[in-house]
Amino acid sequence: YQLRGRVGRSSRQAYAFIMYRKDRIPGEDAAKRLETIRQYTELGSGIRIAMQDLEIRGAGAVLGNAQSGHMAEVGYELYCKMLSEAVRIRKGEEIREEETDTLLDIPVDAFIPASYISSEPLKLEIYKRISLITSEEDAENLSEELVDRFGDVPRQVENLMQVAYLRAVASSLYMTEIKGNKMELRFRFAPDAKVRPEGITQLIAEMKGEMRFLPGDAPGLLYSRKNLKSAEKEEVLPLLKKLLIHIKELIN
């Protein structure tokens, strides 16, 4: 499947022939792999074949070479989460016991158009992959893969990956909600949010009247843009990214 995808480019149609002896019964794993290749033949089936292969041979030790356990036992999404946490532990990064679920409500087109990926099962797989984005590197790697498999990434899908990344940043800041537009954005924190009060004070001072603190059981921040001319040039996603990174630098 990989050879067919790599060789078949532009004006060239590529084929892959897999042959085995008629008078010899293949092993259980080999039979499963042949059935997988026979079943998934439509364009863009690479990820589904890869997932099936992982289930057949086992997902492997999280940070080692041993092939043990099966992804089917924990599910794809949980496996990816476990893998991400194991890598972060290996890097010496702090792992929170419970992630904050952040509601992100901003006016932006963020979805996978049917004209880009028409297969619903495949589209769901990509949505899952996007939901697991936690860094800009994750978004870049997935974007490169999508270009290789489906062509240039539409603006809506790029927005979706940015939204996933920004939700991850907001979650790391214990934010429960972000609402608004490029003129005004409201940030709400969880009651037990671990933030530096002095950082909030510094943030408000640096924003020169555009940011103020919202007290209450669920404290927050309110950003109100004063420069209307700059609002005409900047979309809400780049603005939100800039604000979240600045907030993280000061209060995290």
Side-chain angles (χ1 to χ4, degrees):
Y1 190 90
Q2 287 293 326
L3 284 173
R4 189 177 71 175
R6 300 300 174 190
V7 176
R9 288 285 189 254
S10 185
S11 60
R12 289 181 296 172
Q13 173 69 49
Y15 299 88
F17 298 92
I18 297 176
M19 292 168 282
Y20 61 96
R21 293 182 181 276
K22 278 182 66 176
D23 58 347
R24 186 174 297 177
I25 300 174
E28 182 181 354
D29 287 352
K32 287 180 180 178
R33 288 193 174 96
L34 288 171
E35 175 59 23
T36 298
I37 294 172
R38 186 198 65 78
Q39 182 179 356
Y40 298 118
T41 58
E42 68 270 14
L43 183 66
S45 293
I47 184 65
R48 301 180 72 178
I49 291 176
M51 292 302 100
Q52 285 290 105
D53 183 53
L54 277 173
E55 289 188 8
I56 292 168
R57 63 184 171 87
V62 173
L63 286 173
N65 295 323
Q67 295 297 329
S68 58
H70 292 272
M71 184 181 290
E73 294 181 8
V74 296
Y76 173 69
E77 192 167 355
L78 179 57
Y79 169 77
C80 289
K81 183 179 179 182
M82 291 168 62
L83 177 62
S84 175
E85 288 181 356
V87 171
R88 288 161 65 187
I89 290 172
R90 190 66 175 263
K91 289 181 177 179
E93 298 177 7
E94 180 183 357
I95 303 297
R96 288 162 52 191
E97 291 185 3
E98 187 174 342
E99 297 290 332
T100 302
D101 188 17
T102 307
L103 170 66
L104 188 55
D105 185 4
I106 55 176
V108 61
D109 289 333
F111 61 95
I112 301 175
S115 57
Y116 189 58
I117 302 177
S118 58
S119 167
E120 287 302 320
L122 185 56
K123 191 183 294 185
L124 287 174
E125 290 290 345
I126 299 302
Y127 272 123
K128 277 187 179 181
R129 296 276 302 283
I130 291 175
S131 72
L132 295 171
I133 289 174
T134 59
S135 67
E136 287 190 285
E137 183 181 3
D138 289 343
E140 290 171 2
N141 290 340
L142 182 54
S143 179
E144 289 175 3
E145 180 182 331
L146 292 177
V147 169
D148 188 50
R149 293 173 59 193
F150 307 109
D152 293 340
V153 180
R155 179 69 179 274
Q156 298 96 323
V157 181
E158 289 180 352
N159 289 345
L160 187 62
M161 289 190 287
Q162 278 298 302
V163 165
Y165 164 60
L166 294 178
R167 283 190 73 235
V169 174
S171 176
S172 72
L173 295 170
Y174 299 87
M175 289 182 179
T176 58
E177 182 181 271
I178 300 175
K179 281 188 175 182
N181 50 52
K182 64 181 180 179
M183 295 304 301
E184 183 176 284
L185 285 165
R186 187 182 300 267
F187 306 86
R188 286 288 182 187
F189 293 94
D192 59 345
K194 299 176 183 178
V195 299
R196 297 190 308 114
E198 63 272 21
I200 291 180
T201 303
Q202 184 181 348
L203 174 68
I204 293 172
E206 288 185 6
M207 296 301 291
K208 298 178 180 178
E210 290 191 331
M211 187 78 78
R212 65 186 180 90
F213 180 70
L214 299 174
D217 294 335
L221 295 166
L222 177 64
Y223 169 81
S224 299
R225 190 193 289 272
K226 289 187 175 182
N227 190 336
L228 300 180
K229 289 185 178 180
S230 62
E232 297 174 358
K233 301 176 183 179
E234 190 170 28
E235 297 296 331
V236 65
L237 276 179
L239 171 66
L240 178 57
K241 179 180 177 181
K242 181 169 63 178
L243 289 173
L244 280 176
I245 290 175
H246 192 47
I247 291 171
K248 185 171 184 177
E249 288 174 350
L250 293 179
I251 73 173
N252 206 14

